Amino acid sequence: MGTYKYHILVCGGTGCKSSQSTQIVQNLNEEIKANNLENFVKVVTTGCFGFCERGPIVKVLPDNSFYNYVKPEDATEIINEHIIKGRRVERLLFRDPVTNKPVTDSKHINFYQKQLRIVLRNCGVIDPENIEEYIARDGYLALYKCLNELTPTEVIDIIKRSGLRGRGGAGFPTGVKWEIAAASPGPEKYVVCNADEGDPGAFMDRSVLEGDPHSVLEAMAICGYAIGASHGLIYIRAEYPMAIKRLKIAIKQAEEYGLLGKNIFGTDFSFDIELRYGAGAFVCGEETALIHSMEGNRGEPTVKPPYPAVSGYKGKPTNVNNVETFANISPIIIKGPEWFASIGTEKSKGTKVFALAGKINNVGLIEVPMGITLREIIYEIGGGIKNDKKFKAIQTGGPSGGCLTEKHLDTPIEYETLVAAGSMMGSGGMIVMDEDDCMVSVAKFYLDFTVEESCGKCAPCRIGNKRLSEILDKITKGNGTMEDIELLKNLCMVIKDTALCGLGQTSPNPVQSTLENFWDEYVEHIVDKKCRANKCKDLIHYYIDPENCTGCMACARKCPVNAIAGERKQVHVINQDLCTKCGTCLETCKFNAVYII
Amino acid sequence: MSHIKIKLHENQLQFIKDTCKEFNYEPGELINILHKLQDKFGYLPSEVQEVVANELKIPTAKVFGVVTFYSYFTMVPKGKYPINICLGTACYVRGAEKILDEFKKQLNIKVGESTPDSKFSLNCLRCVGACGLAPVVMIGEKTYGRVAPDDVKKILSEYQND
Ligand SMILES: Cc1cc2nc3c(=O)[nH]c(=O)nc-3n(C[C@H](O)[C@H](O)[C@H](O)COP(=O)(O)O)c2cc1C
């Protein structure tokens, strides 16, 4: 990284940018200028460090000091103390949550210790807007090797032997997919990168595109060489403006360096890449819908076969892979398939990136070897449940997935074990829930999502999911019956068996999985008219405990509907007819006098 | 199609035509064309759709079908400050619904509506990917993280003098 004594890496991922990391960079640069240190220290805006919980994050090299929760005004101290005087700014250093001692070297932070970074190898390390930094870390070497030393068949063979499976959800072997596309006849073929990332609560693909866009471009070109395609398309959601911007810069730079375009590395292989934008439709992540959307149509799925590898974009053979799948390709080519296959488990090789979010201490992006257990992820990497609450469930696979509970904590994470546990790998969203989450409401949350996102083409999905959501709504309102549960179960099976595409075929999973794991909660809602998490408004009532109430009037003043009556220094009472159960009184009361039953 | 009737100015009409030309009148580029037009006009009223259909020589119904399929496209104008509440799962489990309720109450509008003075409009979206900051609210380009119901009033007051 040049001749500078220090490099200051500032996270430029969406999370940290939202909390003013741009201003931090600007302030650092101003301080550097004011102190004439331009040849001594360099500020680099990188992609996501993954540790979003602690953002904005600033890391200083070569000593690996890891500063968290940095504010723009801290720039002065970082330059004056750390850079000029060589003393770490102790108060900004990451502190170990258990010992509360500052950790001086980021390598010793628990959050990173169990991680293994292949896909995220460059995220938080290089400047994603500078192709030279990617090249300096063996970038485009794999493409060079493929074009000059390997035949397309050999490339496919390497990917097959690595055991790499698709990271977009279903886990189809990538090498086999390439082989089918390569065998499909035709002079015109396409390589498509699926960057639609529709699972709410997932941000793996976005972080790769923002932090290391060239890794995807290079892999797409390798795929093009392997299957005989000279055009690539990236379908990216319009909600990711920063990823779009970085991709555009990366494509332009790669073209200028002759790494995309005509006659790459002087060979007769040519490959170009174009961007196509999504417009906010979850179903467009499904590959046939995605292709229709790229053709300018409504993103409605069609029946497979024919598979895209045979007839895809414009009716031509098309290979669709996920962003993360592509990001694995170059390391496999360089380090060899045996190296990759040595990581992970028998059937699931390599690593998986997960977006860890919800009620967990260390929200962020993690990359772990396949086969790791949920316990390691939640308690070692994730730092445990927020506010020392009790762990209840972890949701994987988004609207197509299910909940894993206490009893799954020691199950190794693989494609097959997750399916057996009633969930799925999905694209990698992991939402942690605690005792305050109502599982019936969570199922309803996902069904409401599916109802909104169903394209409406097939009846089982359009009508069936709506019915599921209505029944769940009825149960959360305290009007459910035990027959409703039977109906739910039947409907789930019918929808799964008859829906046209993967959306409807998996949308009942959240219902089935919560029924399976949280049967008691359903029964409580129906029979006892109770919600143990106190989430379902129709099943709870707020009361004031006369023992604890001091008559301070704080709750009465705050109540938005004036439902609380009472004089100063006298016990207050909530009028149940007026109460909207917003919970403001509970949050306001300083004397623990408000309670729920 | 839409209840709002507008008349396009000559230069707006020209912009639509130029955009279609820029994309070679290629029906396959319809979504890219609509993105560009919505960026410019803020929304896609039926009058705009009709011109696009004419230029690309495709039925207006096809354009309408695409506009209504994708939630990113809107046929009603947004407020000067569009408010978007993230209802992704991470924000949901960290209380996004309460934040939404508070915005509804403060502004006295429903989701998908604008305030009578067109200053604010209220919408929901699914995951902006800033899950570490959940619950998240976006107003225009600005992101607010770790929002509590009590913060809503203060956030809105930032826009008071505009
Ligand atoms: C409803 C639905 C949504 C999907 N969304 C995505 C997505 O957002 N990103 C993705 O890569 N794959 C998604 N998929 C999977 C794709 O159809 C396809 O299998 C994948 O892009 C193939 O790439 P891979 O083999 O590299 O995983 C979705 C599938 C379904 C049924």
Side-chain angles (χ1 to χ4, degrees), chain A residues 192-472:
Chain A
V192 171
C193 173
N194 187 344
D196 196 41
E197 192 158 59
D199 175 0
F203 50 99
M204 301 78 48
D205 295 348
R206 201 205 57 205
S207 299
V208 172
L209 295 171
E210 286 179 3
D212 194 15
H214 287 285
S215 69
V216 174
L217 305 185
E218 180 180 6
M220 289 177 71
I222 292 173
C223 177
Y225 174 69
I227 70 167
S230 48
H231 301 292
L233 296 155
I234 303 177
Y235 185 83
I236 182 163
R237 29 192 333 225
E239 289 88 339
Y240 283 176
M242 202 195 307
I244 292 173
K245 176 179 154 228
R246 299 231 167 112
L247 274 173
K248 281 187 178 162
I249 294 172
I251 292 173
K252 191 159 166 281
Q253 290 183 349
E255 282 168 354
E256 284 164 9
Y257 278 67
L259 299 166
L260 283 178
K262 292 239 169 323
N263 302 102
I264 300 173
F265 289 123
T267 64
D268 54 13
F269 175 67
S270 302
F271 193 78
D272 58 41
I273 295 178
E274 259 181 68
L275 297 186
R276 286 296 155 94
Y277 305 113
F282 174 67
V283 72
C284 286
E286 197 279 335
E287 52 193 15
T288 61
L290 180 145
I291 288 167
H292 298 307
S293 180
M294 289 199 311
E295 292 166 343
N297 298 314
R298 288 164 71 96
E300 290 173 355
T302 39
V303 183
K304 293 188 279 193
Y307 288 92
V310 176
S311 170
Y313 184 63
K314 295 184 176 164
K316 304 284 188 274
T318 303
N319 181 82
V320 183
N321 275 127
N322 165 264
V323 171
E324 189 183 334
T325 314
F326 278 127
N328 275 298
I329 299 294
S330 304
I332 293 176
I333 300 286
I334 293 176
K335 296 189 182 170
E338 291 76 23
W339 160 79
F340 191 79
S342 72
I343 303 161
T345 67
E346 167 90 43
K347 287 191 175 151
S348 303
K349 302 296 185 192
T351 58
K352 179 78 193 85
V353 182
F354 290 106
L356 198 56
K359 308 281 185 61
I360 185 133
N361 278 321
N362 300 338
V363 168
L365 199 71
I366 61 167
E367 180 171 356
V368 288
M370 295 275 191
I372 195 170
T373 63
L374 276 182
R375 189 183 300 281
E376 290 169 282
I377 291 184
I378 298 174
Y379 292 99
E380 294 181 40
I381 299 173
I385 310 298
K386 254 202 157 43
N387 303 322
D388 285 324
K389 297 258 179 170
K390 198 169 168 312
F391 166 74
K392 187 172 200 173
I394 189 161
Q395 215 279 351
T396 66
S400 310
C403 292
L404 302 167
T405 63
E406 193 90 48
K407 68 173 191 265
H408 302 114
L409 279 180
D410 294 306
T411 312
I413 296 178
E414 299 173 80
Y415 290 98
E416 280 75 20
T417 50
L418 288 185
V419 171
S423 185
M424 64 182 267
M425 184 78 79
S427 50
M430 272 194 173
I431 312 281
V432 179
M433 305 188 188
D434 67 9
E435 52 193 310
D436 293 337
D437 289 303
C438 161
M439 299 318 283
V440 186
S441 305
V442 166
K444 183 172 168 307
F445 168 81
Y446 280 112
L447 260 296
D448 288 348
F449 176 87
T450 307
V451 167
E452 211 169 287
E453 295 298 337
S454 170
C455 78
K457 187 172 173 179
C458 76
C461 181
R462 182 182 68 240
I463 305 172
N465 284 317
K466 179 83 181 147
R467 291 292 98 84
L468 284 182
S469 146
E470 284 167 1
I471 299 169
L472 291 170

Side-chain angles (χ1 to χ4, degrees), chain A residues 200 206 280 293 297-298 358-359, chain B residues 62 65 70-71 89 93-94 128:
Chain A
R206 201 205 57 205
S293 180
N297 298 314
R298 288 164 71 96
K359 308 281 185 61
Chain B
K62 154 106 196 205
Y70 295 97
S71 62
T89 322
V93 301
R94 285 203 185 173
V128 291

Side-chain angles (χ1 to χ4, degrees), chain A residues 46-62:
Chain A
T46 68
C48 182
F49 284 87
F51 209 170
C52 308
E53 182 72 38
R54 300 284 177 140
I57 286 165
V58 173
K59 188 165 157 181
V60 182
L61 300 182

Side-chain angles (χ1 to χ4, degrees), chain B residues 32-52:
Chain B
N32 281 343
I33 292 170
L34 293 174
H35 268 299
K36 182 149 186 190
L37 296 178
Q38 180 161 305
D39 277 351
K40 173 87 178 172
F41 300 125
Y43 69 120
L44 297 168
S46 46
E47 290 76 4
V48 171
Q49 298 178 31
E50 279 160 23
V51 181
V52 172

Side-chain angles (χ1 to χ4, degrees), chain A residues 77-124:
Chain A
E77 203 174 335
I78 293 176
I79 298 299
N80 283 341
E81 286 296 310
H82 195 139
I83 304 301
I84 297 180
K85 300 190 186 138
R87 294 194 297 235
R88 291 192 171 94
V89 185
E90 187 119 333
R91 71 179 174 87
L92 294 175
L93 281 175
F94 171 81
R95 273 171 196 277
D96 186 287
V98 182
T99 63
N100 204 28
K101 289 219 175 75
V103 181
T104 44
D105 189 322
S106 66
K107 284 202 283 296
H108 300 138
I109 295 176
N110 266 347
F111 179 76
Y112 291 111
Q113 276 181 338
K114 284 234 158 177
Q115 296 198 42
L116 175 63
R117 302 195 143 208
I118 298 173
V119 170
L120 302 177
R121 60 193 179 278
N122 289 329
C123 285

